[in-house]
Amino acid sequence: MIASLGYALLVVALLVSVFSIIAYLLGSRQKNAGLLSSGRMGVIIGFALVTLAFGTLAVALLTHHFEIAYVAQHSSLELPVPYLISALWAGNEGSLFFWCWVLTLCSALVVLQSRKSERELVNYASIILSAVTSFFLILLVLVVNPFKTQAVVPANGAGLNPLLENPAMIIHPPLLLAGYAIFAVPFAFGIAALITRRLDDLWVIKSRSWAILSWITLGIGNLIGAWWAYVELGWGGYWAWDPVENAGLMPWLVATAFLHSVIMQRRRGMFRVWTMFLVILTFWLTIFGTFLTRSNILKSVHTFGTTGIEPYFVTMLALILIGGFWLLANRSRRLSGQNEIDSLISRDGSFLLNNLLLVASTFAIFLGTMFPAFASWFNQQDVSVGKNFFNMVNAPIFIAIVLLAGLCVLIGWKKVNLKDFNRRMLPPLVISVLIVVVLFIAGFRTWYALIAYLFCFFVIMATIWQWFGDLSRRRVVSEETSMPESAGPRFWASKNRYGAYIVHMGIALISIGIIGSSLFDQDQTAVLNPGNSTTLKQYTITYDSLDITQPDVNKMLVVANVSVMKNGKLIGTLHPQQTYYAAQDQPVSEVAIRTNVSEDLYVILSGWDSTTKTANFHILVNPLVMWLWIGSGVLLLGGLVCFWPQPLNTVNMPVTAAPKAQAPIKKSVTPAQNPNTDQRRNSNRR
Amino acid sequence: MKNKKFIIGGIIIGAAVIVLVILGLKTSLTPYYEVAALVSKGSAVYDKTVNVGGEVLPGIERNVSLAEIKFQIVDITDGVTTLNVVYHGSQVPDTFKEAAHVIIEGKYTSQGIFEANSITTKCASKYIPATTTGASK
């Protein structure tokens, strides 16, 4: 009963979604306001229907309707409520369903937020969004029906894989999926702009908040995934260049390029074709990523297995690629920019470089991920690409990107006064060099790491330097321009720029963590009997005892008690453990991590003998990992500052302040510091 | 004129990345075999680093005092050809168990034993968001 209800809702939602497309198309052609408004209505009703359908699946999970195959496969009577909810996206059907639901939510918001003057663009964007929604609804109705029933109703479901029972399961998959889905909106606006030939900045203005939201969601989704892998999966690392991980990283990298390209387009009128190219590419990568996790094209992936969705996805991917780029090629003449890059050493130049590097890195990751598939299509011999390919190719690119993140903060738009630039670059550079010299004296001798660290410190110092410089310069300007006096409002008045600075600092901090943990990590496999100890770096690890208990019928808990000495002083005990779930025949390791700002001591119990109590440990010392998580927090903060709607009282300011301020500002600050140009960029109320 | 710098910059970066990609592939491409294919190659692949994929058979022997695991994998397609694998170390993914599909990196030796450097498991039709590889970073 509940299954038929859910399925019926999906079918009706599909019909409504298709109806919307037709109503919009006819309405636009015939200039029929009635049809257009029913198209709009359709989008909102479509959202309501998909929400109801998704709610139905949630109810089915919560009330254990095991006649539904999905419910039986992904939940059980014993599963706690949060994990019952997370079962909504634990499987293939559910995760596509969630994608679709977020998409309809975004579509409805786009319709509701549109103003009269933007209607034409929004109408076409809604057509694109409805088309993408229809694609997912077709999949859900025809191929991966989440409400599919089974004749034999089991007494209990299979439950969630115990390995997935982690709070991250509740937030990591939906963040990634939502990040993918949200990017459909900028794509829809881009395509709508191409179709309607409204190639001014309106589409990027409408897209901006969505793109930032998608970027934050994807970025944090990836980072939480990394954290999850690190604390839960017990192999001591956080990123393995697994195709599934790459699928989440690639659209994020291109979206980063897009966000920068948008700034170039809006401030300098350049990169218009490029911006459009990036929006199409990012969206293509989100669909590709969704597909990659579910396809059989790669051998070494954790996939959902064969599901018959391949032809649909391949068609969709081809449509986006061919349709999108055909439209772009067709309209490229109209898109040509008004300005040229005056000098490579300018903020323009740094944005251009950053864009090229981000796309190049994505290209390399794509190639590495897909190489085994390509090779098997053209060659008899299957191959696999090792992790060091990705590290080797991306390390120099990422280091260059980090350096640019610092440089671009210091240089102005257009042509740059080199003297001025050198003057501004000197203090942060000197401080960073000093720190690196101190590190060198302290015994860091890996040149690769030292250079990378120099860049990271440079970014942080440059940002802080620029920040204080800005604030003190602003005070001078403010006398004439009635700019707000106190730091808070001044921050908010240019919040996009400061938000971006914070993000850049976050990236530098993350880089410090990544470089430290990948270049200076040490590990050891130890076979220990109770009472024995082993030494790794300055740590002495003593294996004291092993406790084997049986908390319930299904569970066996094995806890090793380990005491840790650092430089001969007892600093604490660790309890690496493993829980064995009999029903699923699944061991789940619980890593013991002793973390601080300089390094993590990471101990895994990898084997034991229940009679002799001999145990195997994998022990790692991972330097600076905590900076990865701190940097992630900083990144999120900066992203949110950019995403936060402009406070109304500052939005209107440039209108009053600009005419008066024009002359003195030109004299006193370079364009990069011009508060009014920043204002113009920020004043896009959503 | 406007596009010139763009194109030159693009070409330089493109060329640099292609060089990096080629160098990277040269050092990190490893042949991949199913069990049957590897066994039939025999001495041709002895002592070369390869990846082999198969399904873990029942009877995993764990020797804790040596930190050693011995097991057999069977070819997924023919279900007959088996391969003896030995792994020394402590980086075994939690998902490594009977009937798991695994990809093992290591060397096939003239004794007919595959000496594994790392074990990666693949969970058929279960959503495992991140990898559970046993390899190092």
Side-chain angles (χ1 to χ4, degrees), chain A residues 50-342:
Chain A
V50 175
T51 307
L52 282 176
F54 200 55
T56 308
L57 184 60
V59 170
L61 280 163
L62 289 170
T63 53
H64 311 296
H65 277 268
F66 295 130
E67 77 272 15
I68 299 174
Y70 184 83
V71 175
Q73 283 159 13
H74 299 283
S75 72
S76 65
L77 294 169
E78 298 82 26
L79 208 60
V81 171
Y83 292 113
L84 282 176
I85 299 287
S86 80
L88 278 169
W89 45 75
N92 185 24
E93 295 87 350
S95 60
L96 288 171
F97 201 174
F98 182 77
W99 217 116
C100 183
W101 177 70
V102 175
L103 185 61
T104 56
L105 171 65
C106 296
S107 312
L109 285 174
V110 165
V111 167
L112 291 173
Q113 282 181 339
S114 67
R115 278 175 284 184
K116 275 236 158 62
S117 60
E118 317 155 344
R119 276 284 153 82
E120 197 195 359
L121 187 75
V122 172
N123 287 345
Y124 275 92
S126 298
I127 296 177
I128 303 296
L129 288 171
S130 298
V132 180
T133 306
S134 304
F135 166 74
F136 279 97
L137 286 172
I138 288 171
L139 280 179
L140 291 171
V141 167
L142 295 183
V143 199
V144 286
N145 174 13
F147 295 105
K148 196 162 151 196
T149 52
Q150 46 192 12
V152 186
V153 180
N156 196 356
L160 189 69
N161 185 334
L163 273 173
L164 298 178
E165 279 189 34
N166 180 291
M169 180 62 198
I170 299 163
I171 42 175
H172 163 68
L175 277 179
L176 277 183
L177 293 165
Y180 283 166
I182 296 167
F183 207 87
V185 179
F187 169 76
F189 275 116
I191 296 295
L194 289 174
I195 294 173
T196 58
R197 298 186 166 81
R198 272 208 69 166
L199 296 167
D200 51 20
D201 284 350
L202 180 64
W203 82 269
V204 286
I205 294 170
K206 294 293 289 181
S207 301
R208 180 179 173 276
S209 299
W210 293 103
I212 293 178
L213 186 62
S214 164
W215 181 87
I216 296 173
T217 325
L218 259 181
I220 295 302
N222 277 321
L223 287 163
I224 289 177
W227 173 80
W228 188 6
Y230 185 69
V231 299
E232 190 68 20
L233 294 179
W235 56 280
Y238 41 79
W239 195 265
W241 297 108
D242 183 274
V244 178
E245 296 171 335
N246 296 348
L249 179 64
M250 287 189 287
W252 187 79
L253 291 174
V254 185
T256 310
F258 171 74
L259 288 172
H260 287 89
S261 180
V262 162
I263 299 173
M264 287 298 290
Q265 166 161 352
R266 301 219 41 219
R267 298 195 60 139
R268 306 273 291 117
M270 294 187 288
F271 288 11
R272 300 159 78 91
V273 177
W274 180 247
T275 308
M276 200 62 93
F277 167 77
L278 291 176
V279 87
I280 297 170
L281 184 62
T282 308
F283 181 66
W284 188 85
L285 285 169
T286 65
I287 298 286
F288 176 77
T290 312
F291 173 50
L292 194 65
T293 4
R294 293 165 176 78
S295 75
N296 251 356
I297 46 177
L298 292 173
K299 283 218 171 51
S300 55
V301 201
H302 302 290
T303 60
F304 290 102
T306 322
T307 48
I309 57 174
E310 280 88 352
Y312 295 86
F313 266 98
V314 169
T315 313
M316 180 70 174
L317 287 168
L319 263 177
I320 300 168
L321 211 61
I322 297 167
F325 290 131
W326 176 80
L327 256 178
L328 180 58
N330 208 282
R331 303 282 196 270
S332 61
R333 201 174 279 267
R334 286 164 177 273
L335 270 171
S336 50
Q338 303 140 356
N339 277 314
E340 302 181 1
I341 289 190
D342 299 308

Side-chain angles (χ1 to χ4, degrees), chain B residues 27-117:
Chain B
T27 56
S28 53
L29 272 192
T30 316
Y32 172 89
Y33 300 97
E34 301 286 340
V35 175
L38 183 83
V39 172
S40 69
K41 285 260 170 188
S43 58
V45 286
Y46 283 163
D47 299 321
K48 287 188 182 126
T49 299
V50 297
N51 284 309
V52 59
E55 187 183 316
V56 180
L57 286 175
I60 301 170
E61 284 174 49
R62 293 174 190 263
N63 187 334
V64 176
S65 55
L66 298 171
E68 178 190 86
I69 300 177
K70 281 182 178 165
F71 57 100
Q72 278 195 317
I73 57 173
V74 65
D75 192 282
I76 294 166
T77 330
D78 73 9
V80 180
T81 320
T82 59
L83 178 69
N84 290 312
V85 184
V86 59
Y87 170 75
H88 290 99
S90 53
Q91 289 173 274
V92 187
D94 283 345
T95 42
F96 174 78
K97 56 186 179 187
E98 278 171 26
H101 287 191
V102 290
I103 293 170
I104 303 167
E105 194 212 67
K107 286 173 179 159
Y108 192 33
T109 60
S110 48
Q111 290 88 44
I113 293 170
F114 194 85
E115 286 175 2
N117 296 327

Side-chain angles (χ1 to χ4, degrees), chain A residues 205 401 404:
Chain A
I205 294 170
I401 291 173
L404 281 173

